[in-house]
Amino acid sequence: MTKTDQLEEIHAVLKTVDDPELPSVSVYDLGMLYEVSIIGADVHLRMIPTFAGCPALDFIEQQVKEAVEALDWVNHCTVKFSMEKLWSTNAITDKGKQELKKHGIAPPPENYRPGEEWTVHCPYCDSDYTSMENVFGPTACRSILYCMACRNPFEAMKPVVPITEIKG
Ligand SMILES: [Zn+2]
C-alpha cells in the first residue's frame, strides 16, 4: 500500500468521525485535520480545535484514535491538537456546509474576513430575509435566528477567521 493510499484511507476514516456537537458533520469536513505523518504502522495526526468555546476535544481525540487504529495496517495512532495554528470557518468543506444545512444550521459565509458584515441565508429556503440583531455573543459559536420568508427558526454558525489568515 502506498503512502497516498494510506493517506486516502485516513481521510476516509476521518469523514466518519462526527463532531459530537454537530451530528453528521465530520471532523474532516469541519477542516480540523492539519497534518498527517505516517511512520510505518504509526500514524500521527495533528488537528486544529474548532471554536475555543466548544470543548469535547478529549472525546474527539478518542473517537479519531479508535477509528484510525481500526484500519488493518495501523498499529498506533496519536492525535495532537495544535494550538499554534488556528481554525477558521473558511476551512469547512462544501460537504460540511451541506450537512450543516441539512440540520437546519446556516453555515458561515464563504471567505469571510474579520470585521465584515455578513448575511445569513436561511438553511431551509435560502432567503436572506432573516433576523439578526446582536445574536452572537462574544463566546457563542451558534445562535438561533428566524427566517421571515419561510417562518422557520434556525441556527446559524458564526464565521471565525484568525487574523493570521488574512492576506493583503
Ligand atoms: Zn427560510
Side-chain angles (χ1 to χ4, degrees):
M1 191 183 251
T2 66
K3 277 257 149 81
T4 317
D5 291 339
Q6 290 177 322
L7 200 58
E8 264 177 32
E9 282 203 9
I10 290 170
H11 287 176
V13 149
L14 291 179
K15 286 175 190 171
T16 68
V17 179
D18 293 344
D19 182 299
E21 312 210 7
L22 297 164
S24 96
V25 186
S26 72
V27 295
Y28 180 87
D29 286 314
L30 280 173
M32 291 173 75
L33 183 64
Y34 166 44
E35 203 177 80
V36 181
S37 46
I38 304 168
I39 303 155
D42 289 344
V43 176
H44 303 284
L45 303 180
R46 295 187 75 190
M47 297 180 73
I48 313 165
T50 55
F51 305 97
C54 299
L57 292 184
D58 286 350
F59 182 79
I60 292 174
E61 179 179 337
Q62 197 54 37
Q63 298 286 302
V64 167
K65 192 173 144 63
E66 275 172 25
V68 173
E69 285 180 353
L71 290 171
D72 288 346
W73 54 272
V74 178
N75 179 35
H76 188 68
C77 171
T78 60
V79 180
K80 250 185 99 174
F81 284 98
S82 168
M83 297 298 161
E84 70 238 36
K85 186 149 164 61
L86 297 170
W87 181 71
S88 150
T89 48
N90 291 343
I92 301 176
T93 65
D94 287 342
K95 167 99 171 32
K97 288 178 184 153
Q98 289 306 319
E99 290 297 331
L100 286 171
K101 278 193 185 183
K102 274 192 216 160
H103 287 271
I105 302 172
E110 304 266 343
N111 303 320
Y112 178 76
R113 295 163 66 105
E116 267 178 4
E117 300 255 320
W118 79 98
T119 315
V120 179
H121 290 261
C122 169
Y124 301 109
C125 71
D126 207 37
S127 165
D128 60 3
Y129 188 32
T130 55
S131 72
M132 229 211 1
E133 297 151 30
N134 277 329
V135 286
F136 293 106
T139 56
C141 41
R142 287 148 76 188
S143 188
I144 304 286
L145 276 75
Y146 182 77
C147 176
M148 261 82 93
C150 71
R151 299 174 177 269
N152 277 304
F154 63 92
E155 276 194 81
M157 194 189 263
K158 174 167 133 177
V160 174
V161 177
I163 301 298
T164 49
E165 193 182 293
I166 309 160
K167 293 167 208 121

